[in-house]
Amino acid sequence: RDNKPDHLIMNCRYPLIFLDNEDQRDICAPYVSKPIAIIGSLYPRFRRMRNIEQTPDAKGTVVFPVHATKYSDLKLDWDEYAQSLKALPEQFQPVTVCIYWIDVQKGVHKHIEKHGLDVVTAGHITDPQFPERFYDILKRYAYASSNQFGSYLPYAIEMGIPFFFFGDAPVFVTRNEKYMPDGT
């Protein structure tokens, strides 16, 4: 877990900072002088406001592998992971892997695609279209999965999509860089 607030929070120009939960508040409070309000995740509200539901013909599994962060890389045998996903029982097929934008930049998708699995991404987390793309991906599948806990888990469950853990958790390696090349 990152131990500093995102640069967007640190440089927030508004008089009040809205955060999802108490953990985020505890991380941010020492670094910001503005009041913080905990409002919970906006994603389920967005989904309900837009009437986004699982499609009637949903099938297969969308996999959200745990991803690198601005402070850490991860060690994971992506080829082995892709092969194990292809070997899931028929009820979970086809498998599509949703790769986080940082890992797309690192070429992780190439390891997945070479094993014949489809790869998608919802794009950069700060892109205003990110939530819509995320739900557009999620709603097409009967199942969701990951090899570690992430925000996709409660969002899938909240939408009524069964979630399961599958695969080895990676080893995280802290980087010396403060931010990614694009400043996030």
Side-chain angles (χ1 to χ4, degrees):
R1 177 170 100 169
D2 298 340
N3 56 8
K4 281 188 171 180
D6 184 276
H7 78 284
L8 297 171
I9 293 170
M10 298 274 286
N11 299 314
C12 179
R13 64 181 180 176
Y14 300 106
L16 178 64
I17 297 171
F18 294 104
L19 297 174
D20 288 359
N21 57 59
E22 292 175 0
D23 288 341
Q24 289 177 346
R25 180 204 55 211
D26 294 346
I27 291 169
C28 294
Y31 296 93
V32 298
S33 59
K34 297 174 183 178
I36 296 172
I38 299 169
I39 61 171
S41 175
L42 295 176
Y43 277 55
R45 295 177 195 158
F46 171 86
R47 183 189 72 75
R48 289 189 294 271
M49 181 182 77
R50 296 280 178 100
N51 295 313
I52 300 170
E53 300 291 337
Q54 186 180 35
T55 59
D57 61 345
K59 64 179 181 177
T61 305
V62 61
V63 177
F64 299 95
V66 68
H67 55 78
T69 71
K70 61 188 171 193
Y71 299 109
S72 64
D73 290 321
L74 50 93
K75 290 185 178 180
L76 180 71
D77 186 334
W78 290 105
D79 292 303
E80 182 179 303
Y81 188 51
Q83 290 171 349
S84 67
L85 292 171
K86 283 188 72 155
L88 282 170
E90 186 60 34
Q91 79 179 78
F92 300 110
Q93 299 296 336
V95 171
T96 297
V97 182
C98 185
I99 301 290
Y100 193 59
W101 70 272
I102 291 174
D103 292 325
V104 171
Q105 288 181 333
K106 294 175 182 227
V108 167
H109 60 289
K110 295 175 186 173
H111 293 281
I112 306 298
E113 290 172 336
K114 77 179 182 184
H115 293 282
L117 295 171
D118 288 334
V119 174
V120 295
T121 185
H124 196 286
I125 189 74
T126 61
D127 185 320
Q129 298 302 309
F130 183 89
E132 192 162 349
R133 285 193 301 261
F134 169 78
Y135 279 117
D136 187 52
I137 293 166
L138 183 60
K139 72 182 183 180
R140 297 181 281 157
Y141 295 91
Y143 302 95
S145 179
S146 184
N147 55 343
Q148 191 164 317
F149 183 90
S151 58
Y152 32 75
L153 187 157
Y155 298 148
I157 292 172
E158 185 274 334
M159 197 168 168
I161 298 172
F163 185 96
F164 63 95
F165 289 105
F166 182 78
D168 295 331
V171 174
F172 287 90
V173 180
T174 303
R175 280 194 269 119
N176 292 328
E177 300 171 29
K178 185 173 181 181
Y179 296 109
M180 292 297 293
D182 72 347
T184 59

